[in-house]
Amino acid sequence: MGKSNSAENAKLQYESGQTLVPMAALTDSGDHKIFTAALSPWSGKNTFAPIVRPDGVVTGGAVVPTSGQNNKVDAAALTCYLIGVLTSVSAAAGTTLTRPATNVAKVSSITVNSAGVIAVVAGTDGATQEFSETRGAAGGPPFVPVGSIEVAQVRLITSAAAVVTAAEIFTVAGQHQERYDYPVWDESNVNGAVTFSAALSLAHTGSVAKKVYAQYYTPIFADVSLASDFAPPENSYSVSSTQIYGTTLGKTAASLGQGKFTAFLSDGVTDPLVGLKGEILWFKFFPDRYKTPYMLAQGKLGISRAFPVADNIKADCTISAAEVGKEVAA
């Protein structure tokens, strides 16, 4: 173990501005749950927070049999997020389906294509009337082109022309339909990532998931010129116990504490840092300004100012964070 050093040469920075990164596709990390951006961290300041828009249906899009017409369905008008843009799609009445060549299973997907138009993607005829749930398999749902959105599936088992029935149309979110809000997700500003509650379906050509887009801002940092006594938001742990016959049951609980620092101010009124009180900001702390390692912490800035007669004007600042600070070694 090396010697312990002081933070005499430390440097503290705060988020003083933001740089826009326009809506762009995130990258699937490989587990089809976590999608990451090219840049991080993301700002959380009011009006600069990230906007996440997975491809998928937002409103409308009901698919029903076309009354009195064989092998056709009507798709209602809908809105969807497509390439990160809220897109209005016109209704498509009397959309024609291809039945199987013989009395076997065939699945057709009703989709919105990359041009924002309703389109049918036909699956491969099965060997029997039993449907497969494997994408691209005979008798299973077809792969949907990358950049398209699946709205519904129509499952037929007869070759003779007939009116489609409501029981042959399927629209379960996550299985037969891609919605923008399913599955739900969490955003990690520190990692510049979106984590879905479940893996996205690999429903698109090449066994890939639907596209996920995000617009975000990255922070621009400025020095807190005169600062001291920085402490990051960190977890503390407590222990509680219950005595039972012959022994004791124990458990631990974590509690996230506030970060803090002291800032020495010019007049305590016009200082740029003071103007950001109550905002969610990033803070970047270098234990040694001449070395690479630093810590990142994001939280709501609170300040308590003091205007002493015979001492410096200062503010005791707090960082009320939603997660612990992150160490960056390189």
Side-chain angles (χ1 to χ4, degrees):
M1 180 177 177
K3 69 174 184 177
S4 177
N5 297 314
S6 73
E8 179 182 1
N9 291 320
K11 178 172 67 174
L12 177 63
Q13 298 181 319
Y14 70 100
E15 181 182 344
S16 62
Q18 298 77 27
T19 300
L20 171 66
V21 179
M23 194 69 68
L26 305 183
T27 300
D28 188 342
S29 66
D31 64 0
H32 321 305
K33 290 179 65 176
I34 300 174
F35 288 73
T36 58
L39 299 173
S40 65
W42 294 349
S43 177
K45 188 175 182 290
N46 186 33
T47 73
F48 294 94
I51 299 171
V52 177
R53 290 179 174 172
D55 277 354
V57 175
V58 178
T59 62
V63 177
V64 298
T66 301
S67 178
Q69 296 189 44
N70 293 337
N71 310 336
K72 293 185 178 183
V73 294
D74 295 339
L78 61 90
T79 61
C80 62
Y81 283 126
L82 190 63
I83 320 177
V85 177
L86 184 62
T87 302
S88 295
V89 179
S90 299
T95 300
T96 301
L97 303 171
T98 301
R99 285 187 174 271
T102 58
N103 292 335
V104 294
K106 186 182 187 71
V107 181
S108 293
S109 290
I110 310 301
T111 71
V112 175
N113 64 21
S114 58
V117 176
I118 296 292
V120 177
V121 180
T124 303
D125 289 9
T128 68
Q129 290 190 336
E130 184 175 350
F131 291 102
S132 170
E133 296 304 326
T134 302
R135 287 278 173 177
F143 282 112
V144 176
V146 175
S148 292
I149 297 169
E150 188 169 52
V151 178
Q153 292 177 13
V154 182
R155 299 186 170 210
L156 305 173
I157 57 172
T158 58
S159 60
V163 174
V164 175
T165 69
E168 293 172 319
I169 301 172
F170 296 80
T171 57
V172 176
Q175 185 174 354
H176 314 111
Q177 182 185 89
E178 292 178 313
R179 288 194 56 84
Y180 91 98
D181 55 359
Y182 183 89
V184 296
W185 67 85
D186 290 320
E187 298 159 17
S188 172
N189 287 350
V190 67
N191 295 314
V194 172
T195 301
F196 289 91
S197 61
L200 300 188
S201 172
L202 304 182
H204 295 261
T205 304
S207 292
V208 299
K210 68 181 182 180
K211 293 289 188 179
V212 180
Y213 293 84
Q215 172 187 293
Y216 55 92
Y217 291 80
T218 56
I220 299 171
F221 289 100
D223 291 351
V224 181
S225 300
L226 301 172
S228 68
D229 302 324
F230 174 79
E234 294 192 291
N235 282 329
S236 61
Y237 298 90
S238 60
V239 177
S240 61
S241 62
T242 301
Q243 189 169 358
I244 61 174
Y245 299 136
T247 187
T248 300
L249 296 178
K251 62 180 180 180
T252 62
S255 177
L256 179 59
Q258 288 181 313
K260 61 182 180 179
F261 63 92
T262 299
F264 295 87
L265 306 174
S266 175
D267 60 18
V269 178
T270 62
D271 300 83
L273 185 66
V274 171
L276 294 171
K277 62 182 182 294
E279 294 283 2
I280 296 175
L281 304 173
W282 278 106
F283 295 88
K284 193 174 188 179
F285 176 71
F286 294 83
D288 188 331
R289 68 180 63 211
Y290 303 112
K291 296 182 179 180
T292 303
Y294 62 89
M295 292 194 69
L296 280 171
Q298 185 185 48
K300 184 171 288 188
L301 173 64
I303 65 171
S304 176
R305 286 166 285 186
F307 299 86
V309 172
D311 205 347
N312 297 306
I313 299 171
K314 67 177 184 178
D316 291 325
C317 302
T318 56
I319 305 169
S320 298
E323 56 184 329
V324 297
K326 178 182 179 181
E327 297 87 2
V328 181

